[in-house]
Amino acid sequence: MNIHQQQMNILRPLSPHLPIYKPQLTSTFPISHRISGAFLATNVLFSYLLCLKIGLICFTYENFYQFLFYSSKLILISVEITALALSYHLYHGVRHLLTDFSGFLYCSLIILARKRWK
């Protein structure tokens, strides 16, 4: 190999089809549905383990109330993110049921609406 061929190999992308790939809705929705489901499952597991570890005795400690007071912004943000993930997960589940039980009429309506807005 001469120097010119080595430079061409370095500049060549590993996957030439990826820069021109346009992600479709049918591949993006299931991935984000799984991510939101994993996030919600992690929250449920974490809260369950926290309740098992701490129990009801935590309400008698002053440090627990200080922690809640000083981390109130963090708790508010985490509740909002969880509510957003829950609403997306629920919406996508209903949309999935509609596409399954409507004979894909719902998908054809989405395709028609997409063509109309182009």
PDB file of all heavy atoms in Angstrom, residues 54-77:
ATOM      1  N   ILE A  54     -35.576   0.687  54.520  1.00  0.00           N
ATOM      2  CA  ILE A  54     -35.833   1.717  55.520  1.00  0.00           C
ATOM      3  C   ILE A  54     -37.039   1.355  56.378  1.00  0.00           C
ATOM      4  O   ILE A  54     -36.992   1.463  57.596  1.00  0.00           O
ATOM      5  CB  ILE A  54     -36.048   3.080  54.835  1.00  0.00           C
ATOM      6  CG1 ILE A  54     -34.760   3.531  54.170  1.00  0.00           C
ATOM      7  CG2 ILE A  54     -36.490   4.112  55.835  1.00  0.00           C
ATOM      8  CD1 ILE A  54     -34.896   4.812  53.397  1.00  0.00           C
ATOM      9  N   GLY A  55     -38.116   0.959  55.744  1.00  0.00           N
ATOM     10  CA  GLY A  55     -39.317   0.644  56.497  1.00  0.00           C
ATOM     11  C   GLY A  55     -39.994   1.914  56.987  1.00  0.00           C
ATOM     12  O   GLY A  55     -39.739   3.013  56.517  1.00  0.00           O
ATOM     13  N   LEU A  56     -40.871   1.776  57.931  1.00  0.00           N
ATOM     14  CA  LEU A  56     -41.597   2.924  58.461  1.00  0.00           C
ATOM     15  C   LEU A  56     -40.851   3.640  59.577  1.00  0.00           C
ATOM     16  O   LEU A  56     -41.275   4.701  60.023  1.00  0.00           O
ATOM     17  CB  LEU A  56     -42.971   2.477  58.964  1.00  0.00           C
ATOM     18  CG  LEU A  56     -43.918   1.967  57.878  1.00  0.00           C
ATOM     19  CD1 LEU A  56     -45.200   1.472  58.507  1.00  0.00           C
ATOM     20  CD2 LEU A  56     -44.193   3.043  56.866  1.00  0.00           C
ATOM     21  N   ILE A  57     -39.734   3.076  60.022  1.00  0.00           N
ATOM     22  CA  ILE A  57     -38.998   3.702  61.118  1.00  0.00           C
ATOM     23  C   ILE A  57     -38.314   4.997  60.685  1.00  0.00           C
ATOM     24  O   ILE A  57     -37.966   5.830  61.508  1.00  0.00           O
ATOM     25  CB  ILE A  57     -37.974   2.707  61.709  1.00  0.00           C
ATOM     26  CG1 ILE A  57     -37.543   3.155  63.086  1.00  0.00           C
ATOM     27  CG2 ILE A  57     -36.782   2.544  60.797  1.00  0.00           C
ATOM     28  CD1 ILE A  57     -36.865   2.102  63.884  1.00  0.00           C
ATOM     29  N   CYS A  58     -38.158   5.175  59.380  1.00  0.00           N
ATOM     30  CA  CYS A  58     -37.478   6.375  58.891  1.00  0.00           C
ATOM     31  C   CYS A  58     -38.262   7.638  59.229  1.00  0.00           C
ATOM     32  O   CYS A  58     -37.679   8.721  59.310  1.00  0.00           O
ATOM     33  CB  CYS A  58     -37.233   6.293  57.396  1.00  0.00           C
ATOM     34  SG  CYS A  58     -38.740   6.331  56.440  1.00  0.00           S
ATOM     35  N   PHE A  59     -39.559   7.541  59.424  1.00  0.00           N
ATOM     36  CA  PHE A  59     -40.351   8.726  59.722  1.00  0.00           C
ATOM     37  C   PHE A  59     -40.120   9.243  61.139  1.00  0.00           C
ATOM     38  O   PHE A  59     -40.577  10.320  61.486  1.00  0.00           O
ATOM     39  CB  PHE A  59     -41.836   8.433  59.514  1.00  0.00           C
ATOM     40  CG  PHE A  59     -42.161   8.111  58.091  1.00  0.00           C
ATOM     41  CD1 PHE A  59     -42.691   6.877  57.758  1.00  0.00           C
ATOM     42  CD2 PHE A  59     -41.913   9.026  57.080  1.00  0.00           C
ATOM     43  CE1 PHE A  59     -42.982   6.576  56.439  1.00  0.00           C
ATOM     44  CE2 PHE A  59     -42.200   8.723  55.758  1.00  0.00           C
ATOM     45  CZ  PHE A  59     -42.736   7.489  55.445  1.00  0.00           C
ATOM     46  N   THR A  60     -39.412   8.489  61.961  1.00  0.00           N
ATOM     47  CA  THR A  60     -39.112   8.950  63.319  1.00  0.00           C
ATOM     48  C   THR A  60     -37.772   9.660  63.417  1.00  0.00           C
ATOM     49  O   THR A  60     -37.471  10.228  64.463  1.00  0.00           O
ATOM     50  CB  THR A  60     -39.104   7.756  64.286  1.00  0.00           C
ATOM     51  OG1 THR A  60     -38.094   6.836  63.874  1.00  0.00           O
ATOM     52  CG2 THR A  60     -40.453   7.060  64.319  1.00  0.00           C
ATOM     53  N   TYR A  61     -36.985   9.635  62.355  1.00  0.00           N
ATOM     54  CA  TYR A  61     -35.669  10.260  62.381  1.00  0.00           C
ATOM     55  C   TYR A  61     -35.723  11.677  61.832  1.00  0.00           C
ATOM     56  O   TYR A  61     -36.328  11.930  60.789  1.00  0.00           O
ATOM     57  CB  TYR A  61     -34.653   9.445  61.572  1.00  0.00           C
ATOM     58  CG  TYR A  61     -34.310   8.124  62.198  1.00  0.00           C
ATOM     59  CD1 TYR A  61     -34.596   6.938  61.536  1.00  0.00           C
ATOM     60  CD2 TYR A  61     -33.701   8.062  63.438  1.00  0.00           C
ATOM     61  CE1 TYR A  61     -34.282   5.719  62.103  1.00  0.00           C
ATOM     62  CE2 TYR A  61     -33.384   6.852  64.022  1.00  0.00           C
ATOM     63  CZ  TYR A  61     -33.679   5.687  63.345  1.00  0.00           C
ATOM     64  OH  TYR A  61     -33.371   4.491  63.908  1.00  0.00           O
ATOM     65  N   GLU A  62     -35.043  12.582  62.521  1.00  0.00           N
ATOM     66  CA  GLU A  62     -34.996  13.971  62.081  1.00  0.00           C
ATOM     67  C   GLU A  62     -34.158  14.122  60.816  1.00  0.00           C
ATOM     68  O   GLU A  62     -34.449  14.967  59.968  1.00  0.00           O
ATOM     69  CB  GLU A  62     -34.423  14.838  63.201  1.00  0.00           C
ATOM     70  CG  GLU A  62     -34.457  16.307  62.905  1.00  0.00           C
ATOM     71  CD  GLU A  62     -33.941  17.125  64.079  1.00  0.00           C
ATOM     72  OE1 GLU A  62     -34.109  16.709  65.223  1.00  0.00           O
ATOM     73  OE2 GLU A  62     -33.347  18.177  63.804  1.00  0.00           O
ATOM     74  N   ASN A  63     -33.135  13.298  60.664  1.00  0.00           N
ATOM     75  CA  ASN A  63     -32.280  13.369  59.474  1.00  0.00           C
ATOM     76  C   ASN A  63     -33.065  13.065  58.198  1.00  0.00           C
ATOM     77  O   ASN A  63     -32.772  13.614  57.138  1.00  0.00           O
ATOM     78  CB  ASN A  63     -31.120  12.381  59.591  1.00  0.00           C
ATOM     79  CG  ASN A  63     -30.159  12.783  60.686  1.00  0.00           C
ATOM     80  OD1 ASN A  63     -30.123  13.941  61.082  1.00  0.00           O
ATOM     81  ND2 ASN A  63     -29.403  11.821  61.185  1.00  0.00           N
ATOM     82  N   PHE A  64     -34.045  12.209  58.312  1.00  0.00           N
ATOM     83  CA  PHE A  64     -34.863  11.874  57.142  1.00  0.00           C
ATOM     84  C   PHE A  64     -35.618  13.103  56.662  1.00  0.00           C
ATOM     85  O   PHE A  64     -35.683  13.384  55.469  1.00  0.00           O
ATOM     86  CB  PHE A  64     -35.828  10.743  57.492  1.00  0.00           C
ATOM     87  CG  PHE A  64     -36.717  10.343  56.354  1.00  0.00           C
ATOM     88  CD1 PHE A  64     -36.210   9.617  55.291  1.00  0.00           C
ATOM     89  CD2 PHE A  64     -38.049  10.702  56.346  1.00  0.00           C
ATOM     90  CE1 PHE A  64     -37.026   9.245  54.235  1.00  0.00           C
ATOM     91  CE2 PHE A  64     -38.874  10.342  55.296  1.00  0.00           C
ATOM     92  CZ  PHE A  64     -38.355   9.607  54.244  1.00  0.00           C
ATOM     93  N   TYR A  65     -36.194  13.864  57.587  1.00  0.00           N
ATOM     94  CA  TYR A  65     -36.932  15.066  57.214  1.00  0.00           C
ATOM     95  C   TYR A  65     -36.005  16.161  56.689  1.00  0.00           C
ATOM     96  O   TYR A  65     -36.373  16.921  55.798  1.00  0.00           O
ATOM     97  CB  TYR A  65     -37.772  15.576  58.388  1.00  0.00           C
ATOM     98  CG  TYR A  65     -38.926  14.661  58.684  1.00  0.00           C
ATOM     99  CD1 TYR A  65     -38.929  13.848  59.801  1.00  0.00           C
ATOM    100  CD2 TYR A  65     -40.006  14.603  57.823  1.00  0.00           C
ATOM    101  CE1 TYR A  65     -39.986  13.007  60.062  1.00  0.00           C
ATOM    102  CE2 TYR A  65     -41.073  13.761  58.075  1.00  0.00           C
ATOM    103  CZ  TYR A  65     -41.056  12.966  59.195  1.00  0.00           C
ATOM    104  OH  TYR A  65     -42.099  12.128  59.436  1.00  0.00           O
ATOM    105  N   GLN A  66     -34.795  16.238  57.221  1.00  0.00           N
ATOM    106  CA  GLN A  66     -33.824  17.190  56.690  1.00  0.00           C
ATOM    107  C   GLN A  66     -33.430  16.816  55.261  1.00  0.00           C
ATOM    108  O   GLN A  66     -33.289  17.690  54.399  1.00  0.00           O
ATOM    109  CB  GLN A  66     -32.582  17.232  57.577  1.00  0.00           C
ATOM    110  CG  GLN A  66     -32.801  17.948  58.885  1.00  0.00           C
ATOM    111  CD  GLN A  66     -31.556  17.913  59.754  1.00  0.00           C
ATOM    112  OE1 GLN A  66     -30.594  17.202  59.451  1.00  0.00           O
ATOM    113  NE2 GLN A  66     -31.576  18.669  60.842  1.00  0.00           N
ATOM    114  N   PHE A  67     -33.261  15.539  55.015  1.00  0.00           N
ATOM    115  CA  PHE A  67     -32.939  15.094  53.659  1.00  0.00           C
ATOM    116  C   PHE A  67     -34.065  15.439  52.697  1.00  0.00           C
ATOM    117  O   PHE A  67     -33.831  15.920  51.585  1.00  0.00           O
ATOM    118  CB  PHE A  67     -32.679  13.581  53.650  1.00  0.00           C
ATOM    119  CG  PHE A  67     -32.522  13.014  52.273  1.00  0.00           C
ATOM    120  CD1 PHE A  67     -31.362  13.235  51.562  1.00  0.00           C
ATOM    121  CD2 PHE A  67     -33.541  12.271  51.698  1.00  0.00           C
ATOM    122  CE1 PHE A  67     -31.210  12.725  50.281  1.00  0.00           C
ATOM    123  CE2 PHE A  67     -33.393  11.756  50.423  1.00  0.00           C
ATOM    124  CZ  PHE A  67     -32.228  11.982  49.721  1.00  0.00           C
ATOM    125  N   LEU A  68     -35.314  15.220  53.096  1.00  0.00           N
ATOM    126  CA  LEU A  68     -36.444  15.550  52.232  1.00  0.00           C
ATOM    127  C   LEU A  68     -36.532  17.053  51.985  1.00  0.00           C
ATOM    128  O   LEU A  68     -36.863  17.486  50.886  1.00  0.00           O
ATOM    129  CB  LEU A  68     -37.749  15.047  52.841  1.00  0.00           C
ATOM    130  CG  LEU A  68     -38.033  13.563  52.706  1.00  0.00           C
ATOM    131  CD1 LEU A  68     -39.369  13.226  53.340  1.00  0.00           C
ATOM    132  CD2 LEU A  68     -38.006  13.114  51.271  1.00  0.00           C
ATOM    133  N   PHE A  69     -36.231  17.843  53.008  1.00  0.00           N
ATOM    134  CA  PHE A  69     -36.317  19.288  52.852  1.00  0.00           C
ATOM    135  C   PHE A  69     -35.247  19.809  51.893  1.00  0.00           C
ATOM    136  O   PHE A  69     -35.530  20.626  51.023  1.00  0.00           O
ATOM    137  CB  PHE A  69     -36.186  19.971  54.215  1.00  0.00           C
ATOM    138  CG  PHE A  69     -36.186  21.466  54.132  1.00  0.00           C
ATOM    139  CD1 PHE A  69     -37.357  22.160  53.880  1.00  0.00           C
ATOM    140  CD2 PHE A  69     -35.009  22.190  54.286  1.00  0.00           C
ATOM    141  CE1 PHE A  69     -37.366  23.535  53.788  1.00  0.00           C
ATOM    142  CE2 PHE A  69     -35.012  23.565  54.191  1.00  0.00           C
ATOM    143  CZ  PHE A  69     -36.186  24.240  53.954  1.00  0.00           C
ATOM    144  N   TYR A  70     -34.019  19.343  52.058  1.00  0.00           N
ATOM    145  CA  TYR A  70     -32.929  19.854  51.235  1.00  0.00           C
ATOM    146  C   TYR A  70     -32.916  19.274  49.821  1.00  0.00           C
ATOM    147  O   TYR A  70     -32.310  19.843  48.927  1.00  0.00           O
ATOM    148  CB  TYR A  70     -31.580  19.607  51.909  1.00  0.00           C
ATOM    149  CG  TYR A  70     -31.377  20.489  53.113  1.00  0.00           C
ATOM    150  CD1 TYR A  70     -31.192  19.952  54.374  1.00  0.00           C
ATOM    151  CD2 TYR A  70     -31.402  21.870  52.986  1.00  0.00           C
ATOM    152  CE1 TYR A  70     -31.014  20.759  55.479  1.00  0.00           C
ATOM    153  CE2 TYR A  70     -31.238  22.689  54.081  1.00  0.00           C
ATOM    154  CZ  TYR A  70     -31.044  22.129  55.329  1.00  0.00           C
ATOM    155  OH  TYR A  70     -30.887  22.936  56.405  1.00  0.00           O
ATOM    156  N   SER A  71     -33.554  18.151  49.612  1.00  0.00           N
ATOM    157  CA  SER A  71     -33.568  17.557  48.273  1.00  0.00           C
ATOM    158  C   SER A  71     -34.947  17.671  47.622  1.00  0.00           C
ATOM    159  O   SER A  71     -35.279  16.891  46.737  1.00  0.00           O
ATOM    160  CB  SER A  71     -33.157  16.093  48.355  1.00  0.00           C
ATOM    161  OG  SER A  71     -34.109  15.377  49.097  1.00  0.00           O
ATOM    162  N   SER A  72     -35.723  18.663  48.043  1.00  0.00           N
ATOM    163  CA  SER A  72     -37.079  18.777  47.510  1.00  0.00           C
ATOM    164  C   SER A  72     -37.073  19.092  46.012  1.00  0.00           C
ATOM    165  O   SER A  72     -37.935  18.616  45.277  1.00  0.00           O
ATOM    166  CB  SER A  72     -37.861  19.840  48.273  1.00  0.00           C
ATOM    167  OG  SER A  72     -37.244  21.104  48.119  1.00  0.00           O
ATOM    168  N   LYS A  73     -36.116  19.887  45.536  1.00  0.00           N
ATOM    169  CA  LYS A  73     -36.032  20.176  44.101  1.00  0.00           C
ATOM    170  C   LYS A  73     -35.671  18.923  43.313  1.00  0.00           C
ATOM    171  O   LYS A  73     -36.218  18.670  42.250  1.00  0.00           O
ATOM    172  CB  LYS A  73     -34.987  21.262  43.824  1.00  0.00           C
ATOM    173  CG  LYS A  73     -35.304  22.584  44.434  1.00  0.00           C
ATOM    174  CD  LYS A  73     -36.368  23.283  43.648  1.00  0.00           C
ATOM    175  CE  LYS A  73     -36.573  24.665  44.232  1.00  0.00           C
ATOM    176  NZ  LYS A  73     -37.716  25.331  43.708  1.00  0.00           N
ATOM    177  N   LEU A  74     -34.766  18.130  43.841  1.00  0.00           N
ATOM    178  CA  LEU A  74     -34.362  16.897  43.178  1.00  0.00           C
ATOM    179  C   LEU A  74     -35.525  15.912  43.116  1.00  0.00           C
ATOM    180  O   LEU A  74     -35.747  15.261  42.083  1.00  0.00           O
ATOM    181  CB  LEU A  74     -33.171  16.273  43.906  1.00  0.00           C
ATOM    182  CG  LEU A  74     -32.617  14.980  43.333  1.00  0.00           C
ATOM    183  CD1 LEU A  74     -32.050  15.234  41.950  1.00  0.00           C
ATOM    184  CD2 LEU A  74     -31.563  14.407  44.252  1.00  0.00           C
ATOM    185  N   ILE A  75     -36.280  15.824  44.186  1.00  0.00           N
ATOM    186  CA  ILE A  75     -37.429  14.920  44.208  1.00  0.00           C
ATOM    187  C   ILE A  75     -38.483  15.397  43.207  1.00  0.00           C
ATOM    188  O   ILE A  75     -39.079  14.592  42.495  1.00  0.00           O
ATOM    189  CB  ILE A  75     -37.996  14.812  45.637  1.00  0.00           C
ATOM    190  CG1 ILE A  75     -37.000  14.071  46.522  1.00  0.00           C
ATOM    191  CG2 ILE A  75     -39.338  14.111  45.649  1.00  0.00           C
ATOM    192  CD1 ILE A  75     -37.360  14.059  47.981  1.00  0.00           C
ATOM    193  N   LEU A  76     -38.702  16.703  43.124  1.00  0.00           N
ATOM    194  CA  LEU A  76     -39.680  17.245  42.192  1.00  0.00           C
ATOM    195  C   LEU A  76     -39.290  16.951  40.746  1.00  0.00           C
ATOM    196  O   LEU A  76     -40.126  16.548  39.930  1.00  0.00           O
ATOM    197  CB  LEU A  76     -39.829  18.749  42.410  1.00  0.00           C
ATOM    198  CG  LEU A  76     -40.852  19.466  41.551  1.00  0.00           C
ATOM    199  CD1 LEU A  76     -42.248  18.948  41.869  1.00  0.00           C
ATOM    200  CD2 LEU A  76     -40.773  20.956  41.780  1.00  0.00           C
ATOM    201  N   ILE A  77     -38.010  17.112  40.428  1.00  0.00           N
ATOM    202  CA  ILE A  77     -37.538  16.835  39.071  1.00  0.00           C
ATOM    203  C   ILE A  77     -37.673  15.346  38.750  1.00  0.00           C
ATOM    204  O   ILE A  77     -38.102  14.980  37.655  1.00  0.00           O
ATOM    205  CB  ILE A  77     -36.079  17.321  38.901  1.00  0.00           C
ATOM    206  CG1 ILE A  77     -36.035  18.841  38.922  1.00  0.00           C
ATOM    207  CG2 ILE A  77     -35.463  16.782  37.625  1.00  0.00           C
ATOM    208  CD1 ILE A  77     -34.643  19.413  38.983  1.00  0.00           C
TER     209      ILE A  77
END
